[in-house]
Amino acid sequence: MAKLLEGKIIAERIKEGLKKEIGGLPRKPVLASVMAGDNPGAEAYVRSQQKTSAALGVEYLFHKLDKDINEAKLIELIQGLNADKAVNGVILQLPLPAHIDYKNICRFVDPEKDVEGMHPANMGRLICGKAKVLPCTAAAVMELLKSIDVDLYGREVVVVGHSGIVGKPLALLLLDKLSTVTVCHIGTNVAGMLEEHIRAADILVVAVGKERFINGELIKDGAIVIDVGINRVDGKIVGDVEFETAEKRAAYITPVPGGVGPLTVTMLMRNLVEIAKQKK
Ligand code: NAP
């Protein structure tokens, strides 16, 4: 039976350290958060950011915009936050309304205030192995692996999902550790190859956003399973992996909730503190 990889517990330890670092800064770090329209997932993430900010001594400035906001107005707000010397970090809550192109908008956030590490300049630094801040969810997965002291060198790591916020940056971080990284996506599935890759994974990370997407019977004995997915089913939060069967085969598995999620918001705060320290 797998051991639980509880991000919640690791997050508490990291937050203790961050609280001390924040106490040593000349003033409270300020995180500006921009959300357009309504989305239950984004709202839950905002609540978690607000709670964590309050606990750590971070000032959280929330800008809630109408779902019909146009790109020009959104860019104007972002540029105002960039120019505001009191603001240390800017986060754009996803998803943005469908008529707004995140890939275009994220480049308007000042790279020095890009608390999510999503600006093309920061992505470029990541590719060069010179990142100042890491994309939060990818960093959260790496922290989970670090917590069990797993040697990533040469291990078969399979990442299912190739989004810009999770799969792609995570693949780069794992490559830096000389893991053998396979990134699967819809094309892998259509080609009928997904099962084969999952069966071969020493470490499996899933970020798809479909409940029970991964059949637990496919998990290799003794694998490490990190389930990034967040799905709402009958008022409950579940991941992408069929937990009950997967936990019988894996050595470690993340619970959902309580796995990756609490660490993602902690990584966001860690990025903010790094940015605030550089300013100091
Ligand atoms: P996304 O942008 O929608 O990406 C989903 C990925 O899954 C895409 O790469 C997609 O491939 C792939 N995919 C979809 N259907 C597939 C299939 N049938 N077979 C193989 N691959 C398939 O989502 P995301 O933003 O990365 O988020 C993924 C999940 O993680 C969501 O549940 C989200 O809520 C959760 N999440 C959790 C945290 C956390 O802190 N715990 C943070 C971020 C996201 P194509 O693009 O090729 O279709």
Side-chain angles (χ1 to χ4, degrees):
M1 193 66 91
K3 286 189 186 142
L4 281 185
L5 253 179
E6 293 183 90
K8 212 171 163 179
I9 296 170
I10 306 161
E12 287 310 318
R13 182 175 39 77
I14 297 173
K15 282 193 281 186
E16 276 311 307
L18 290 177
K19 207 169 165 179
K20 286 193 193 120
E21 287 195 71
I22 290 171
L25 292 171
R27 62 176 185 82
K28 276 183 165 191
V30 177
L31 176 59
S33 158
V34 180
M35 180 172 167
D38 303 300
N39 176 278
E43 281 155 17
Y45 191 32
V46 165
R47 281 195 297 278
S48 162
Q49 290 163 26
Q50 284 168 325
K51 198 172 146 204
T52 312
S53 294
L56 295 185
V58 164
E59 195 174 331
Y60 191 83
L61 303 178
F62 186 46
H63 296 266
K64 175 77 169 66
L65 308 173
D66 194 80
K67 68 174 175 19
D68 298 322
I69 182 124
N70 62 37
E71 282 201 6
K73 283 262 180 265
L74 182 55
I75 292 167
E76 199 179 304
L77 171 67
I78 293 169
Q79 286 174 332
L81 296 171
N82 289 343
D84 185 342
K85 289 195 165 55
V87 171
N88 298 95
V90 178
I91 172 169
L92 303 178
Q93 306 298 339
L94 295 178
L96 288 168
H99 64 280
I100 293 181
D101 177 6
Y102 175 69
K103 283 186 183 147
N104 176 43
I105 291 293
C106 72
R107 71 191 168 94
F108 286 94
V109 174
D110 179 345
E112 303 306 319
K113 293 191 179 188
D114 171 29
V115 80
E116 292 185 286
M118 292 306 296
H119 187 282
N122 286 323
M123 279 291 174
R125 286 177 184 144
L126 181 63
I127 290 173
C128 300
K130 297 274 181 210
K132 294 183 186 172
V133 289
L134 297 177
C136 306
T137 310
V141 172
M142 295 305 283
E143 279 298 325
L144 283 164
L145 294 172
K146 193 169 131 196
S147 75
I148 49 172
D149 213 15
V150 56
D151 185 7
L152 294 168
Y153 189 93
R155 301 296 291 277
E156 290 289 336
V157 186
V158 174
V159 180
V160 188
H162 67 145
S163 70
I165 64 164
V166 190
K168 280 183 190 143
L170 179 60
L172 291 170
L173 292 174
L174 290 161
L175 270 179
D176 266 356
K177 303 285 181 196
L178 296 182
S179 298
T180 305
V181 187
T182 305
V183 182
C184 300
H185 40 72
I186 194 77
T188 322
N189 204 0
V190 170
M193 293 300 290
L194 192 58
E195 264 196 41
E196 191 175 318
H197 288 297
I198 292 166
R199 283 186 197 278
D202 295 323
I203 299 169
L204 176 70
V205 184
V206 189
V208 170
K210 291 184 176 155
E211 53 136 345
R212 302 177 80 81
F213 180 70
I214 301 288
N215 174 356
E217 304 286 352
L218 301 177
I219 306 292
K220 186 174 179 177
D221 276 334
I224 297 166
V225 178
I226 300 193
D227 190 350
V228 180
I230 300 176
N231 308 290
R232 281 165 186 77
V233 180
D234 302 330
K236 279 172 71 180
I237 304 279
V238 298
D240 289 346
V241 179
E242 207 181 67
F243 187 86
E244 317 75 54
T245 37
E247 74 166 339
K248 291 193 181 112
R249 304 178 69 90
Y252 290 94
I253 188 166
T254 52
V256 179
V260 181
L263 264 174
T264 296
V265 69
T266 305
M267 296 297 104
L268 176 73
M269 295 299 158
R270 188 168 79 178
N271 284 347
L272 182 74
V273 171
E274 272 318 303
I275 292 171
K277 279 188 343 200
Q278 279 165 24
K279 190 173 177 194
K280 180 184 162 197

